[in-house]
Amino acid sequence: MKENDSRNSNSLLDDEDELTVKQIINGLEKLDQWNPVSTPDLQLFQQNVELEKNRIRKKQWKDLLTFISVAVFVLSVVIAIVYHEPIFYLYFQLVGIILLPLAFNKTRKKVRNEDLQQSK
């Protein structure tokens, strides 16, 4: 008797599953009809890739020229200071030597505090 009931419930589940699958397939077919899927043109993709490569190349050149300009300016200022007022150069060096350990000390403390907070 229990075997017969389980067969009937399994067949009902199978029928419901088949109905669900059919409804899903019908729904997907309707979606495909409303929004047809088409493969974009390969030339369009290639053109977009070329445009992006050119944009990146231009940006890299701009960044490189900016870096070189700033480096030349900084070196010019340092050279001018060394030749005209060498004492200022020595003062800057001393200030840098004094402030560098303080800067490292502060970053270490921040990292330690963050580690302690994360471990709690």
Side-chain angles (χ1 to χ4, degrees):
M1 183 80 131
K2 288 183 180 180
E3 228 176 84
N4 197 13
D5 288 341
S6 66
R7 285 184 190 165
N8 286 340
S9 65
N10 283 342
S11 66
L12 287 175
L13 286 176
D14 289 340
D15 292 340
E16 287 178 10
D17 289 342
E18 287 178 23
L19 180 63
T20 304
V21 168
K22 286 180 184 178
Q23 288 175 344
I24 290 173
I25 290 173
N26 288 337
L28 291 174
E29 287 175 358
K30 287 180 183 178
L31 281 176
D32 286 340
Q33 291 172 358
W34 290 339
N35 298 319
V37 177
S38 61
T39 307
D41 188 22
L42 179 62
Q43 290 177 348
L44 177 68
F45 279 121
Q46 290 175 342
Q47 184 181 17
N48 286 341
V49 167
E50 286 299 319
L51 288 173
E52 187 66 17
K53 281 182 181 179
N54 289 337
R55 187 189 67 78
I56 290 171
R57 193 174 299 122
K58 286 179 184 177
K59 185 179 182 303
Q60 286 176 339
W61 274 106
K62 180 183 171 190
D63 291 344
L64 179 63
L65 291 175
T66 303
F67 174 76
I68 290 172
S69 300
V70 169
V72 167
F73 176 75
V74 169
L75 285 175
S76 300
V77 169
V78 169
I79 290 170
I81 289 174
V82 168
Y83 280 120
H84 292 290
E85 295 293 332
I87 194 71
F88 286 134
Y89 181 72
L90 292 174
Y91 287 146
F92 286 133
Q93 291 294 318
L94 288 173
V95 168
I97 290 171
I98 292 169
L99 293 180
L100 189 63
L102 295 175
F104 280 132
N105 193 17
K106 285 187 179 185
T107 56
R108 286 183 189 149
K109 286 181 181 177
K110 288 181 183 178
V111 171
R112 288 182 193 147
N113 289 338
E114 289 173 2
D115 290 341
L116 290 175
Q117 289 174 357
Q118 289 176 357
S119 64
K120 288 181 182 180

